[in-house]
Amino acid sequence: MVGEPQDDCLFCKIAAGQIPADVVRETETTLAFRDISPQAPTHVLVIPKVHHRDAASLAAAEPAIAAELLREAGQVAGEEKLESYRIVFNTGSGAGQTVFHAHAHVMGGRGMQWPPG
Ligand code: AMP
Ligand code: ZN
């Protein structure tokens, strides 16, 4: 069910502390941890603790948590001293989403191209 922990979801398990992660920030509703396969000098994922399949679904169902997620992404960027950075929400497998639990990628510390690949 939407919002309920999913047995087969990696990020639900990380949120529950069942799988370890390199946590950098935590709030009542969100968790930020370093990506296991960083694509930039700073690459942190910010997830809601509740399960929704993507960022838009989260925002539709729980807008306050979606706002908190974005606020936390900014806090991560500040703590990592990123002057410029990118917040990415891959949505759908064609766009590169591999974990179907909403998450923001906070990436920075190197130059970035536009448009993204
Ligand atoms: P996406 O491809 O947008 O769904 O992003 C999923 C991200 O999760 C990828 O960047 C992976 O490197 C990252 N990832 C996968 N497993 C783990 C893990 N156990 N801990 C931290 N990051 C992970
Ligand atoms: Zn989940």
Side-chain angles (χ1 to χ4, degrees):
M1 194 202 300
V2 166
E4 293 296 314
Q6 305 287 298
D7 288 343
D8 57 349
C9 176
L10 173 65
F11 288 175
C12 280
K13 288 180 179 157
I14 288 178
Q18 293 164 355
I19 290 178
D22 186 358
V23 172
V24 297
R25 287 185 62 81
E26 181 169 13
T27 69
E28 201 174 315
T29 58
T30 69
L31 191 68
F33 54 92
R34 296 195 190 279
D35 196 294
I36 203 166
S37 177
Q39 302 301 312
T42 292
H43 187 169
V44 172
L45 302 175
V46 188
I47 68 168
K49 291 181 177 176
V50 289
H51 182 92
H52 294 278
R53 63 176 286 105
D54 56 40
S57 302
L58 169 68
E62 315 215 40
I65 298 179
E68 176 81 353
L69 190 79
L70 270 183
R71 199 182 71 80
E72 282 298 297
Q75 290 293 118
V76 167
E79 288 182 2
E80 297 284 319
K81 306 206 175 345
L82 301 178
E83 284 181 17
S84 300
Y85 58 94
R86 201 167 275 177
I87 300 174
V88 176
F89 295 99
N90 294 327
T91 303
S93 55
Q97 188 175 6
T98 59
V99 178
F100 290 84
H101 177 129
H103 55 281
H105 296 257
V106 181
M107 306 173 74
R110 63 166 170 81
M112 292 193 180
Q113 307 294 317
W114 191 262

